[in-house]
Every structure is written in C-alpha cells, then in structure tokens.
Amino acid sequence: MMIENENLTDSAENGANYDVLVIGGGIAGEEASLNLANMGYQVLLVEKDLSLGGKMIHLSKVFPTLDCAACITTPKVSETMRHPNIKILTNSVVEDIEKNGNGSFTAKVVKKPRYVIEENCTGCQECEDKCPVVVEDQYQYGLVGRKAVYVPFSIASPRIVAIDIENCILCGLCEKVCPADAIDFTQEIEEIPVKVNSVILATGFNLFEPEVITRYGYGKFKNVVTSMQMERQLVPTRPYNGVLRPKDGKMPDNIAYVLCTGSRDHTVGNPICSQVCCMYSIKQAQLLLGALPMADVTIYYLHIRAFGKGFCEFYQQGIGMGVEFVKGKVGRIHEKEDGNLILRYEDIEEGVVKEAEHDLVVLSVGLLANPETKGMFSNDSLALDAFDYVKQVDELINPAKTSIDGVFVAGAASGPMDIPDSILSAGAASSETASYIRRYHEK
Amino acid sequence: MMDTVKENSQPKILVFSTEKISDPAIDLAGLLKMHYPPTVFTISLPCSSAIKSRWILHAFDKGFDGVFIAADGTDCTYGESCIELTSQVVSRTQDMMREKGLDPARLKMAAICSVCAEPFVNHMINFTEALSKSD
Amino acid sequence: MSEKKRKTIDYIKEKRVVSEEVKEKRKEFVRLKKLILKVLESGDKTIPEIADETKLPLPVVTYTLMTLRKFGDVETGEIDDDDEFFYYKLKTKK
Amino acid sequence: MRNKIGVYICQCGSNISDYVDVEKVKEIASQQEGVSLAKITMFACADSAQKEMVEDIQQNNLDAIVVASCSPQLHVPTFRGVAQRAGLNPYNYVQVNIREQGSWAHSDNPKQATEKAVRSVNAGIARVSHSEALVTIKISALNTVTVIGAGISGMRSAVELADMGTFVHLIEREHFVGGRVSQWGDLFTTHESGEEVVTRLFEEVLKHDKIKLYTGAELLSYSGSVGDMKLQVKLTPRYVKEVCNIENLDKAIEVCPVEVPDEFDFFLTKRKAIYKNFESEFPKMPAIDKANCTFCGECQKVCPDIDLKQKEQIIDIQSGAILLCSGFDPYEPKDGEYGYKTIDNVVTLQQFKRLVELNDDKLIYNGKPIKNVAYIYCVGSRQINGDNKYCSRYCCTSAIHTAINIKEKYGDIQNYHVNRGIRTYGKQELLYEQSSIQGDIYLQFYEDSDAVVEKEGDKTVIRVEDFLTAGKEIDIYPDLVVLVTGMERRKDTSIGDILKVPVGRDRFYNEIHPKLRPVETVIDGIFIAGACQGPKNITEAMKSSLSAAAKANSLLTKGEIELEPTLATINPNACEWCDKCLAACPYNAIEKIEHSGKYIAVVVEAKCKGCGMCAPVCPVDAIEIIGFTNVEIETMIEAMAE
C-alpha cells in the first residue's frame, strides 16, 4: 500500500510530515497518540505487529478490577484507528531516527509487505479456510496452529488477513478464492522517509523466555507453561475448549505458580522486580478458581508486591478465595511419567527444602527491555539505563524526557509497568511532547 | 435439541445489547461462526440500564416469546450503578409481567463482556430450549 | 475495487523458493490430521485414547487436535466420568 | 417521518449473499413505506459504492439511508461520512448488521438467515423513518484551568498547562508552595533533595505569565459546568507586603514572642508566629500565622514591611476545568500505637527524615546518640483492625532509602527492618538489595500478626514473631524506633465536599476508571492528579499530573467542546418533578427548574452522556434518549416481530 502523498506534505508545521512519530501501538502508544491528536497535532503511529493493541489486547481480565482486557483495549484501538489526526502504519518498523538542527527529526519507516491490499480485504477469512499450511499460532503462544494466510486474532485491528510468506507454499489458493481481489504477492518492502517534529517511544517490553532456566524444564515438560500461555487459556477466544494441560488435554486440578521467573535474578541478568507478576498471578489464580471450582492453586513467592490502588485488597481477596501462598524459592522441577510435576523448593518460613506435586506449573515470567528501541536511532544516540530500558534523564520532574531532547518515552519502554502506570506515563509523554512542539516549532 | 423444534414454532427472542460491551461479543460469535437460533433479534443501546419496561412488554405484546438483556455488568463505561439499575429494570418489569399473566422467566438477564461470544451463544441456545419447553 | 486482475502468485513464484522444511511441515500436518480424523471415525475419544491408537506422542495429539478443533474439523464432546479428559468427535458438516 | 429512504443491501463479496438471499431482502425492503429506492451492492464500503450512494442521495433527494451490511462497529463513521458528503444529516442513517449477526451467525440455516435479514432491514427502515436530523452540540470553553494545590503535582501540572498554552489559576491554601515534598531530603532515584525539586518547579512557575498563583487561598464555593466553572476563593492575608526588605523581616522573626511547634519539621522544632520554611520557598518572605499571632505589634516596630491591617479578600475565579492536586496527609499514629507518644524514642518516618536533615554530623535524638535504628513497616497501611486496608506504595522504598542514607551519612549505624513483606517494586528492588548488602537486618512479621513495642527498664524493645525463622520470637533493642507511616487522604475534606468529587474505598478521590480514565472524575471537567487520588511516589505523581494536564488541555484547547447530540431529553409537560432521574444519573446532569408554574427536571447538556440510566426510572415516562426514542424502538420491535 502506498502512503497518500497529501498526507506526507505539510500536514504539520515547519514543513514536517507529522508533528509526532509514535512508535508502538500498544496501550501506551495509543493513549499518547489520542491525547496529541485530540490537541490537534498530526500523529504518525507505527506498529511493528500486524495489529494494534500490544500485549494488553491478548490478556484475559485485568487486575485488580477484573474487567475484561478486550473491553478496555478495543474501544481505545478503534478510537485510534478512526481518528482523523492519526495515520497508522502496521507491520512497519522505524529506522535511522536522526535529529535535525531545527529541533525536528528525520526517520525511515520500513513497511513490510502483508501481501494483502489492506483497503480491499474485508476479513472474511475465505482464504484462511482454504490455506493448506498450518504453523504454530504466535498469538496463542504456540498452543495451537494457524494458517499461513490468517487474521492475526479475532479482535485484531485492522481485522484483515496477512500472509506469512516464510511459511507459505505459494499454492495461490488464497488469491483464487478471495472475493475482494485483496491478495497481492507483488508487494515489496517499502521505505518511507518521514520528517517529524518529535518522537514518542512506546516500544513496550519483551517477556522473559524461561528456556534459559533449564532447571524449570520449560519447553521440555509440556505441562510447564508461561503465564502468557495461561492468560490465553483464560480468554473466551482461548486455544482449547477450557483450561487444559498442553501435554495431554487433562483438566488440571492442582496448579502451581512460580513467581519471579526471570525477575530479581542476577543469574539471568535481570535483578529488578517486574512489578506485575505478583498481581497477574493472583488474578489468574482467582480466574482459575472460577473456571475450575475443584482446583487447588498454590503461589510460590518471595514477596507479594501488591502496591497499587486496590491491589492489597485484591491480594486479600485471593487469600479469601482459597489461593494458597507459600513463601518459597523453587529450585528445580521434575516431570513424572503421568505428566505431573515435582517442585523442589526452599520453604523460607521453615528454612528447609521441600517437595510438592502439581499437575500444571505456570511460570510467572518477568518483563525485559525491548532491545530494538536503541537500534532505531542513528549513531547509538539514545541512552539506556543499566537494564537496557530507555533512560529517563530527569525522572522526578520530566519523567518522559530521554537523552535526546524531543524524544520522549511512554509506558513500559522505560521500565516494568502495569496498565494504569503505562496510561499515566503515556499521558506524561503526550504533555511533554506537546510542550516541546510548541517551544520549537510553533510561532 | 434444536432439530426437534419445528422451524415456524421456534421461540422468538429479542436481545437488548449495548453498543460498547455486549454487541461486540455478539458480533464475535458470528465472526467465529458459532451458531445460535436465527430467531434471535438484537436491538443495541448505549447502556443496558436504559431499557424501558414498556419496550419489553411491547415485545411480548407483538409476539416475542422471550427477552434477553445482554447487560454491561461491571464493564459498563458509564459507571458502577449500571448493574443495580439494570437489575431494577428487570425486577420492575417482571412484576408487571406477573400482573399481566406473563411468566417472569421469559425475561432474562446476564452480563456479557465484549469477548463473551461463547457464553452468549450458550445463553441463546439454553433460553430457546427453556422457552420452547414452557410453551 | 482496484484494477488488479492478473494472478500475482506467478510473480512471486519467480522470486521465491519454498524451503524443504516448510513443505515437510505441511506434509507432516496432513499426515497427523488424517491419522487423528481416522481414529475418530470409530467414535468419540479422549486425547490419551487417540494417542494410544495412533501411537503419536501426547503433546502432538493435543496440539493437532486443538488445531483441528479451531478450524472446525473436530468438536468437543462430553467429559469423562473422572472429570479429567474431554471426548472429541468429528464435526458433522452440513 | 422520512419518506424518501434509500436502502442498500451489501453482498460483502459473497460473505452475506452466500447465505442470505439478498434479492429477496431487497424486494421486500423496496415495498416498505417510505422507501424510494433499494439496491444491492457488492461491497457497500468500496469507494465506488460510496460515490454511487452520494449520487443517489443528491439525484433522488433522499432524506434518509439504510445500509445493511456488517457490524455498525465497523462502518457507522464511513456511512455517516457518505451522508454528510451528500448533504444529508448523518443521523438520518441507520446501519443494519446482516453479516456478524446474520449470514455468519446463521450460515447453518440460509432460509432463516434470510428471514432474519428481511426483518432486521425492515426494522432499520422503521427506525430511520423516525430519525431526526441532529446537530452536534457545541459549548464554548474557556482555555483556563484552576489547579488546586501548589505541591509538586499542582506546580508541575500548572507549568505544563501553561507550556501548552492554557492559562492557569494556581491556588494554594498554605502561605508557601511545595507541599509535602519540600519537607523531604535526599530523594530516590536522582539524589536531588525535595527542596531542589520544589525550587526548580517554583522557578518555572514564576517565569510563566500564564500562571497566576494565589497563596493562603481557600476554596469557598463552586458552580457551573465544564467549559465555564466558577469558583469563589478566600484569600487570607500573610500580613507582609509584597515588596519588602528581607533583613528587616529576619529581625521581625527574632523579636516575635510567640513560639509554637513547627509542623514543617513535624513538631521536632519550634517556630515563631511569623515564620518561613526554607530559603527558596515562595515568596522569599515569611508569613504570619493568623491562628497563633497575638497581634502584639512587636514585629511591626522593627520591620515597616509588616502590615497587620491586611484584610481577608474574597475573589471569583472563572475557568474551563479544575484540576485537583490536593495531596495527602501522612498517617498520624494513635497515641500508644507501637509506643508512639508513650515511649520517648519512637518517631514517625516523616519526623525521622526531618531529623536526618537537621543533624549534620551525628545522629542525635533527645540528646542521645543513635546507633541502632529499627523501622516498623506498614504503620497505618494494610491494617488488620484499622480502616486502611491499602498499601501506601512509597513507604518501603522510602524507609530503605533513608536507611541507606543514614549509613552513608553517619557511618556506624545498624538498621533493623521489621516488615510485613518488602514491596520495592520495579527498579526500586536495587535499593532493597543494596541495604541487604550493607548489612541491614530484615525481620518479617506474619500477615495477621503484629510487632509489639514495649519499655523494658530504660530500654525500648520490639518483639516480633519472625516469619523468616519459622515464627521464632525475636527481641530487638534499638536506640530509635521509626514508624514507617503510610499515606492517608487529607483530613480536611472541604475541597472534595464542595466539588462533590467521589471517593473510593480507600477514601482517596476516585477516578472514573483506573485504566481507561485514571485522571478524570465522573464530573466532566474535574480532574485529579498526584497523591489525592491514591498513594504515589514523586515520579508517579508527576506522571499523573502531566496526564491530567494533557487531558485538560485537549479538552479546552479548541475553545469549544463538542458533545454527541444523543442525549436525554425531558418532556416538560409530562414531568412532575420527583427526583428519581436525578438519583439515577451518575453525572449529576439533571437540574430542577421552575417551568409554567411547576417544578420540572431538565437535562444539563454539558454534563449528560446519553447513557439513558434516567429514562426507565421516570414514573411518567417523560424521558427519552435521542436516537433511542419509544417510537424508534417500538417500531423496530414491531418490524422484527412480524
């Protein structure tokens, strides 16, 4: 798809194409884009994924209010999609951001081919039905398969298909059956140079990948899953017909959570606390007790960080519902023949090593910095903190300010953050950006 | 179960849904090609607490067998009082139904969140079944 | 609608080669699919029962079966008496 | 009634037409009353189809259109746009969903899917025939915000708002700005001091000609609604002239005979009735504390700049929105709670931090050198018996940070942390690690138990059942016990009472939604930021202040606020004022007025959101929601029931 030329010229002050380049279309990027667009600024929002919504759109319910994540994200997503002052490029990345003398920036947006004409596709999925290729569905975190031509997930925005060319066998069936002539294999990578007056980094976080901790057997023992895989199992658009063990489809009745997997752990290079794992685990535990009324849920923790508004009460609610909390550090996990798992852990209260059997283990994985953020800038010009998050150079007074004046940070790109904090941080970034634009580019 | 009911005698259900919360769930059911009886019709409102008793009674009057309120529940964007006010609408209307000799079980309510496609479909199948039994 | 009419698949076929691995993966899924659907022809079964009959590893059966369920070949039946395993059955297509 | 209606049935490629007999739907639709044209289209949303609709509307003078296609969630704005381009009112358009709730949901039964589509389209036609041409309501808005509270949150919001072009009235109850943070010393994570942070912000405030600061200012009353809010504010005199000689004022402080405990130092020190806090505080001149001054006139004798005749003033302030940054109070332990005020060496964290600020070389309290400090956590937070069930969020980090500081500052100190589970979330975890490495000792009491502070001879002892050693009882004999007190909502609730801002279970001001709208309240145009919404550290308070600034600015910056016209309306003839609608309305958008000799309810358009909660509760059915009127809904029901 081509960018219309009219959008590329003179839509913002100072001869720039846009007032703001927002990188990342998760909840923080959307919030920042909407704030600025509502102030009348022209925003270019670039998202590397096929859909807006970031990580949040994949969550089940969210703590501590237990409202459904989709119910909160999708209205924000559609408001963003429709806003006349926001131009969105999905499946695109940003490179070579460079600051100009007059306070503006140039950058290159690389739009990867979707092999689908976005405005033609109606999301009818006839092609998906016919596609003969099945590969692991990354949006269900590998628990089921998807086709090579596919709608990313049912509440994706835009809700249109994309072709995974790496796994396509080039049979051409999709093109043959498409009623809207939307398939286009001639699409190529497009490089779009843009000039903008400011930049917001809303590039989010990565999830810790627990294969590194071999003692826990993730990958080898199929009934050891990550919290994100459990999150998917708890969503109405879940991969299975209920909460089931990935190994054999058995309904679990004794589930363990291992907190601080990949957080507060020097051995994996991440000594800080991820801020959200305690709470999302307590939330999942409560949802599991609802979905599996006969099940036991045990949370192995070091400290319960229930610090936010309503969190402590939510933690007490979990205790009240019968979630068991064990202060203990899990050392190693073994698999039994029947797929059950033996956890060896140090019981901190009694100071002894114990063993416990569970039939499903959830690793509450932590948050890590997104390593791609720094690479978007020419000459290594963006400063990072000790954990590779975007450095906040004036954290107390200007929390969105980065080492480059005119580049601001929103959401978990600057450190682990829950959803309310990400929204507030995005609000801060939009204010600081608006002031910057006024200071340098208006009048 | 559905096949045993003759097409023209299938009970008719009017669903009051909400634009931001339950309507997306009903759409999602269609998207996922989940089937529910085609005798289910939907009218969408801003919030489930805005439904008037007279509309519900009008629906029964005109030949609907059941009315289902796909309520916002705790996800309501207009505030927490939605739950209580919607329940009040239901209980007030059920009182009126009793006075008119209508079985109050013909009015049902459940909270449907924006991705609750499967629960919605199950509600429609079960409600249809219950209504055809009671006839 | 756009003016595009020519089949564009020919264009990309000249430029791309499909890897053997991708072809293999597709064949393997077709094989698994056939095996599982065949076993279900004789009646509703749980995942361990399917694994038993097909001699396939359990996680492979779970993954493949759930994918077939997602694409509408298989549907969920009742749960067994111990409330542990669901039965799965072929979806009756109209 | 509309009687020149155009109806478009979309095939959506074959997504709809594979299961729904679109010909039949079109045929029946064309026979409906008021329909002047009905068409089938391949893709209604395609550009060519949209152009055709515009032509149809213009050539045939259509007065309404119905598009039967996919979910209204997807294309209502698209077809409203079509209507608008053709010169038709966008509200004379109805979209009927025959895809998600038609062909797809009932692809197993094409015959009945068609039946349902026929009735749904007829219902859409019935609805559109009763639709009204509506115009967006516009109310003018003053691009001015009143920020209440000149702590760091209030000052930060004010500066940002002014930077973005919004005028700010910044009102502060005290005679000095800076709030709680001015009392803090060294801060995590930047090692700036509270004084430095306040000074930086205050200098920004001073620079701006778009900020008007009022100190000694107290909110008296409030009226109006978003865009046009009126506040009445009382200004208490500081009895010091605006231009004055600092040296003379210092002399005045010296001669003042009245001494009272200094709340700035949490009563560790004393001050005079004429006083100042720290050098850089605004204005760089003292104020006279009216409550304690005896008006003896001694100060006036040495300083001509003092004017004890200054009078109270009441002023009116007008603004488009209000931002509440009224902060928190530190929890004040009850007498005897962990020995507070009953045992001599028990202080709060706030007092301890001031003590550290006031003691440069040696840590001395009550004349005794301090070597062992024990901190008891969660005082006033996570209470087992008290009302405060919440976690105060900042205190673990603050206490540990202080423990590290005093070890760095005074050297030979042993810290004991008697806690209920340390919550140094995120990067603050490193402080916890650092304090463990420096040799601090952590003891954890059980969730449901408590530490006990007692006097044992001339020593103070803390007894704790230590969770970390399987419940063994451990006794600590510290030189000083520091109660790590949390945050509470302000005891003085007058501002919230005047503005009617709702509070949550924790008694802090409540946002509409913690995720969607964390700085907005149910009252349009009233925002909350900083610790008045809930416990926060400085960075978090700054983020919420800046967020609120962004929201307020985007609301007001255009000079007018656009509202959807789909609001509630009340029929004045039918209404017999009973206040049921007022009670049901979550937005306080109903007002009682006199009309033709009786009292009736009217909807305040600027506050109404069109949710409709008021409509069903009206005993005389006087309330309708525009776009969802009785006639619209009931004719739809009839069409569907046929």
Side-chain angles (χ1 to χ4, degrees), chain B residues 68-129:
Chain B
F68 182 86
I69 298 177
D72 283 338
T74 50
D75 293 326
C76 182
T77 47
Y78 297 106
E80 287 168 14
S81 53
C82 168
I83 303 170
E84 199 196 322
L85 286 168
T86 313
S87 321
Q88 284 171 11
V89 169
V90 171
S91 60
R92 259 200 320 267
T93 313
Q94 284 177 332
D95 288 344
M96 296 179 189
M97 289 169 70
R98 277 187 206 99
E99 275 173 34
K100 289 177 146 248
L102 291 165
D103 180 2
R106 288 170 63 182
L107 172 60
K108 269 189 76 109
M109 171 175 88
I112 300 288
C113 84
S114 76
V115 283
C116 288
E118 205 178 310
F120 173 76
V121 169
N122 292 337
H123 276 299
M124 288 306 106
I125 291 171
N126 296 337
F127 196 22
T128 301
E129 211 177 336

Side-chain angles (χ1 to χ4, degrees), chain D residues 349-493:
Chain D
L349 179 63
Q350 283 75 18
Q351 288 176 321
F352 186 56
K353 277 173 168 292
R354 288 307 305 160
L355 191 67
V356 174
E357 286 305 304
L358 299 168
N359 282 257
D360 275 339
D361 309 320
K362 276 197 188 114
L363 186 58
I364 292 169
Y365 183 69
N366 279 351
K368 287 183 197 151
I370 307 294
K371 291 287 171 203
N372 299 307
V373 183
Y375 306 82
I376 298 180
Y377 284 68
C378 298
V379 177
S381 310
R382 304 174 66 188
Q383 288 177 322
I384 300 160
N385 300 314
D387 290 333
N388 298 351
K389 300 295 176 202
Y390 57 87
C391 164
S392 286
R393 192 169 179 150
Y394 88 104
C395 10
C396 281
T397 303
S398 186
I400 294 174
H401 178 60
T402 308
I404 292 171
N405 276 351
I406 59 165
K407 193 130 179 169
E408 277 169 5
K409 190 168 177 180
Y410 307 115
D412 186 21
I413 296 253
Q414 179 62 52
N415 293 304
Y416 298 91
H417 301 265
V418 183
N419 68 89
R420 198 179 278 164
I422 292 293
R423 290 179 171 170
T424 41
Y425 54 94
K427 296 176 194 170
Q428 300 166 48
E429 178 70 11
L430 295 184
L431 278 183
Y432 177 37
E433 199 179 88
Q434 191 188 338
S435 98
S436 304
I437 291 169
Q438 79 175 15
D440 285 10
I441 292 169
Y442 283 83
L443 299 114
Q444 186 175 343
F445 51 93
Y446 286 84
E447 292 270 343
D448 53 357
S449 77
D450 232 338
V452 175
V453 183
E454 283 174 345
K455 206 76 195 167
E456 197 181 282
D458 62 344
K459 284 179 177 163
T460 302
V461 60
I462 302 176
R463 296 187 212 284
V464 55
E465 240 182 90
D466 182 28
F467 185 96
L468 303 177
T469 48
K472 207 163 109 187
E473 194 184 287
I474 293 178
D475 295 347
I476 312 163
Y477 296 88
D479 301 327
L480 190 67
V481 179
V482 176
L483 304 182
V484 180
T485 44
M487 292 187 180
E488 278 193 312
R489 65 98 52 97
R490 284 259 182 210
K491 280 175 201 70
D492 177 358
T493 60

Side-chain angles (χ1 to χ4, degrees), chain C residues 2 4 12 15 20 23 26 38 50-51 58-59 62 69-71 76 79 83-84 92:
Chain C
S2 76
K4 178 183 81 77
I12 198 163
K15 298 183 64 177
E20 285 309 311
K23 288 184 194 161
R26 189 209 152 194
K38 179 106 185 81
I50 299 169
L58 275 166
T62 309
R69 184 183 159 276
K70 174 176 166 183
F71 292 120
T76 314
I79 194 163
D83 274 353
E84 284 190 336
T92 40

Side-chain angles (χ1 to χ4, degrees), chain D residues 508-520:
Chain D
F508 286 91
Y509 294 130
N510 219 11
E511 66 287 347
I512 292 190
H513 190 286
K515 298 182 185 70
L516 285 174
R517 298 163 79 183
V519 294
E520 291 159 80

Side-chain angles (χ1 to χ4, degrees), chain B residues 7 10 12 14 16-20 23-24 26-31 33-47 49-56 58-59 62-64 76-82 85 88-89 92, chain D residues 15 71-73 97 99-102 104-109 111-113 115-117 119-120 127 510 512 516-517 584 586-587 609-617 621 623-625 628-630 633-638 640-642:
Chain B
E7 267 188 13
Q10 234 179 33
K12 254 190 263 174
L14 180 64
F16 284 107
S17 61
T18 66
E19 288 169 345
K20 291 202 179 74
D23 232 20
I26 304 173
D27 284 350
L28 187 60
L31 252 163
K33 314 272 158 78
M34 292 172 164
H35 300 312
Y36 52 92
T39 42
V40 171
F41 290 84
T42 312
I43 293 179
S44 179
L45 301 168
C47 171
S49 60
I51 301 164
K52 290 186 182 177
S53 302
R54 63 177 274 180
W55 301 343
I56 298 170
H58 192 69
K62 293 292 163 189
F64 275 101
C76 182
T77 47
Y78 297 106
E80 287 168 14
S81 53
C82 168
L85 286 168
Q88 284 171 11
V89 169
R92 259 200 320 267
Chain D
N15 276 297
S71 166
Q73 311 278 343
N97 183 349
R99 191 176 78 171
E100 283 84 352
Q101 296 184 19
W104 282 351
H106 312 300
S107 56
D108 55 337
N109 192 338
K111 188 162 166 270
Q112 283 206 287
E115 268 309 298
K116 180 172 173 178
R119 291 181 194 174
S120 302
R127 183 178 186 186
N510 219 11
I512 292 190
L516 285 174
R517 298 163 79 183
Y587 302 103
K609 301 267 185 224
C611 63
M613 290 192 192
C614 54
V617 302
D621 197 18
I623 309 181
E624 299 241 51
I625 308 303
F628 305 90
T629 55
N630 288 335
I633 301 291
E634 286 171 4
T635 51
M636 280 177 85
I637 291 173
E638 285 157 26
M640 287 172 170
E642 251 171 41

